[in-house]
Amino acid sequence: MRTWDNQPFWGVGAEWDPDWLLSPRQRRLRDTLVELCEQEIRGNAERVDDELRFPRRNLELLGEHGYLALTVPEEYGGLGGDHTAFAVACETIARYGCASTAMCYVMHVVAVQAIMLRPTPSLVDDYIRPLSKGRIGTLSYSDPASGGHFWYPISSSAERVDGGFRIRKKSSWTTSGGFADFYVVQTTSPGFTSYDDLSVFVVDAEDVRAQPSLWDALGLRGNQSGPVEIDAAFVPTEHLVGPLGDGAESNDEVVDPWFLTGSAAVWNGIAMGAVDIAKRHTLGKEHRDTGRRVADYPVVQDYIGESLIDTNAARLTVLATAAALDEATDGNRRVLAPDVRARANHLHWCWQAKFTAAKNVSAVVDRMLHACGGSGYRRDLELERYLRDGKAGWVMGPSNEVLRQFVARSALFGFSAVDYRNRTVDERALRNETGKLDPAAKRALAARLFAEAEAAEQTHVAGRVMRT
């Protein structure tokens, strides 16, 4: 039986957790996290929300127990955890502790895993081994010109200089911005010619400019997910992650699978946490005029039953997807060479896991507000914070609008139709538009396209020279 303050846990019981999908070690890792949430993390959540405070103490506490290196191999000082352990950790922190902390943790682990895709002795010594000392990383991939379409970093560049690279990067949304110790960033490669030519670098905090005081959000208020800028920072060659041009593969093999799995687990944790709160309130609140507790009303039971069923379906989707990623990577122990796919083969399941969890959490917290009545709007019940935090799920990139388009296009036309980098020509639309032109206009268009092709060819040659 799960306990809280030395009493039986007041929320939904452990028998509703799909423990048959977890190993004994994964269950122990989760149970330790529940204890940390009980002891300190949940108590910090209100201050984090009220004061827009970065949850550093919560993250330091996770670091003290090894969770900042949860997915790092044991030979590098980590716990050797896999995708399933990561999903369970993210859900647990969000459910029992603090959703802002959970999302900062997601971005930290994604940054760590981006480095671990192409580990080198220098990267491991500089950024992975120090995780045991509480160093916090984050991912900075978004772009003010393309929003949540982080795979298209227009406002970035990298140029070769002696001993390394000169990096410029603008990011519109960077969780832990201004507070992380290191940032994994994606930019266009030196001399790039198209947006599938991207590279990944690790940048130290002193080279990143942020304005945390400007951050003020509806929910996840401790995330400090504001804009950051890197202005011509020098990055040594040994802090390039993988070869030049590896960024697109890093997106598909690390950033999307880990982020979508982790964030989906956070939304599921928020949904379960809301059900927990509603159970405590509706069992404890009695209407003296009817002699009934709120939980005795059939409509309230309908709300809670439907929410638990829907959320457990979303949880099972995440855990099944994590299991597939584990199988593809030998439990997160397989080191992949460039051009080798493993997690990327399951991207379409990661899309669905995030969409389902993000859609569900808003519906669940809304129902729990109805179940709790007017009391649900009181801040001391905590439900309103869960409502605000959960709303971030739908819009966080890739937004649910984008994800359902990805799923539909790949199912209808094949995976190449997703076209992250805007490279595929819509021949049907092209024929339709050019069919509207008279012969003179077609000749003028052809001349213009020929001139553009000549210029593009010269740019491509110049880019190849710069790369070499």
Side-chain angles (χ1 to χ4, degrees):
M1 177 183 292
R2 188 156 296 148
T3 61
W4 196 270
D5 291 332
N6 298 316
Q7 300 292 325
F9 177 56
W10 39 263
V12 175
E15 65 272 14
W16 292 97
D17 291 332
D19 277 3
W20 70 91
L21 296 175
L22 308 182
S23 69
R25 184 167 187 257
Q26 289 163 348
R27 294 196 292 270
R28 289 194 298 271
L29 288 168
R30 179 201 56 202
D31 293 343
T32 299
L33 276 175
V34 173
E35 292 175 7
L36 296 178
C37 289
E38 176 193 352
Q39 293 166 10
E40 188 167 352
I41 293 176
R42 192 182 188 98
N44 294 331
E46 184 176 351
R47 290 189 296 275
V48 165
D49 184 69
D50 285 346
E51 302 170 18
L52 295 163
R53 178 185 296 185
F54 180 69
R56 180 170 292 278
R57 172 55 194 157
N58 287 350
L59 292 165
E60 289 173 349
L61 186 63
L62 294 174
E64 291 168 10
H65 290 78
Y67 287 92
L68 293 181
L70 172 66
T71 57
V72 171
E74 293 178 359
E75 59 265 33
Y76 299 146
L79 297 181
D82 55 15
H83 302 81
T84 300
F86 170 61
V88 171
C90 296
E91 179 189 296
T92 302
I93 298 167
R95 177 181 179 181
Y96 297 97
C98 168
S100 287
T101 302
M103 189 51 64
C104 292
Y105 181 71
V106 168
M107 300 308 292
H108 164 82
V109 172
V110 177
V112 168
Q113 289 306 126
I115 295 172
M116 292 305 301
L117 177 66
R118 312 282 187 233
T120 64
S122 178
L123 289 171
V124 168
D125 289 343
D126 291 347
Y127 298 106
I128 301 303
R129 295 191 189 279
L131 296 177
S132 62
K133 300 177 181 178
R135 283 176 62 82
I136 299 166
T138 196
L139 201 74
S140 186
Y141 271 41
S142 64
D143 190 284
S146 58
H149 300 181
F150 55 80
W151 51 88
Y152 210 82
I154 293 175
S155 308
S156 71
S157 66
E159 61 177 308
R160 283 187 179 275
V161 295
D162 288 343
F165 302 88
R166 192 68 64 185
I167 302 299
R168 293 175 175 82
K169 172 75 178 179
K170 289 183 179 180
S171 179
S172 48
W173 307 92
T174 297
T175 296
S176 306
F179 294 91
D181 298 302
F182 62 89
Y183 297 72
V184 175
V185 304
Q186 177 182 248
T187 73
T188 55
S189 299
F192 90 107
T193 56
S194 66
Y195 280 97
D196 56 0
D197 185 8
L198 310 173
S199 296
V200 180
F201 302 88
V202 189
V203 181
D204 293 318
E206 56 265 28
D207 292 318
V208 177
R209 186 166 67 244
Q211 294 179 279
S213 62
L214 299 181
W215 170 252
D216 192 356
L218 174 71
L220 297 177
R221 289 166 59 81
N223 276 22
Q224 295 295 334
S225 189
V228 303
E229 184 171 356
I230 300 168
D231 187 12
F234 173 75
V235 176
T237 301
E238 55 267 27
H239 291 172
L240 167 69
V241 183
L244 287 172
D246 195 49
E249 189 168 330
S250 176
N251 278 342
D252 291 349
E253 199 56 55
V254 174
V255 176
D256 268 2
W258 285 97
F259 171 71
L260 292 171
T261 303
S263 63
V266 170
W267 314 132
N268 289 337
I270 293 173
M272 286 300 295
V275 176
D276 290 334
I277 292 169
K279 177 183 176 182
R280 177 179 59 183
H281 175 75
T282 59
L283 284 173
K285 176 71 174 178
E286 181 180 352
H287 290 160
R288 297 296 296 274
D289 56 327
T290 65
R292 283 181 157 190
R293 298 167 301 179
V294 174
D296 293 325
Y297 290 99
V299 66
V300 172
Q301 295 170 12
D302 286 345
Y303 285 147
I304 290 177
E306 182 177 2
S307 295
L308 188 55
I309 291 167
D310 289 348
T311 303
N312 272 333
R315 296 170 83 192
L316 291 171
T317 300
V318 169
L319 290 174
T321 303
L325 299 175
D326 286 334
E327 183 177 2
T329 59
D330 299 328
N332 194 35
R333 291 187 296 271
R334 183 181 174 197
V335 178
L336 302 173
D339 299 322
V340 175
R341 291 171 62 92
R343 300 176 188 89
N345 294 328
H346 301 284
L347 264 181
H348 54 305
W349 292 102
C350 298
W351 299 337
Q352 294 173 83
K354 187 270 183 178
F355 180 94
T356 300
K359 180 180 180 181
N360 176 67
V361 65
S362 289
V364 166
V365 185
D366 192 56
R367 288 190 209 111
M368 296 307 95
L369 276 175
H370 293 173
C372 293
S375 297
Y377 288 81
R378 296 201 322 262
R379 298 200 68 197
D380 62 332
L381 201 67
E382 298 185 294
L383 197 55
E384 61 86 29
R385 187 177 74 243
Y386 279 66
L387 173 70
R388 290 186 286 103
D389 290 343
K391 286 292 184 183
W394 186 278
V395 299
M396 191 169 288
S399 69
N400 272 25
E401 286 86 359
V402 169
L403 290 176
R404 63 190 176 196
Q405 284 288 306
F406 283 177
V407 170
R409 291 182 67 83
S410 57
L412 290 169
F413 312 121
F415 289 106
S416 62
V418 172
D419 194 19
Y420 280 121
R421 275 103 204 165
N422 198 30
R423 303 288 292 165
T424 303
V425 176
D426 188 338
E427 295 287 351
R428 290 178 177 273
L430 187 62
R431 285 197 300 271
N432 182 66
E433 294 303 308
T434 56
K436 301 174 185 178
L437 302 176
D438 61 23
K442 288 180 178 178
R443 282 192 290 270
L445 176 61
R448 187 164 70 249
L449 291 174
F450 182 79
E452 290 177 2
E454 290 284 320
E457 191 171 70
Q458 294 175 12
T459 300
H460 182 71
V461 171
R464 289 179 61 187
V465 171
M466 291 184 66
R467 289 285 295 275
T468 55

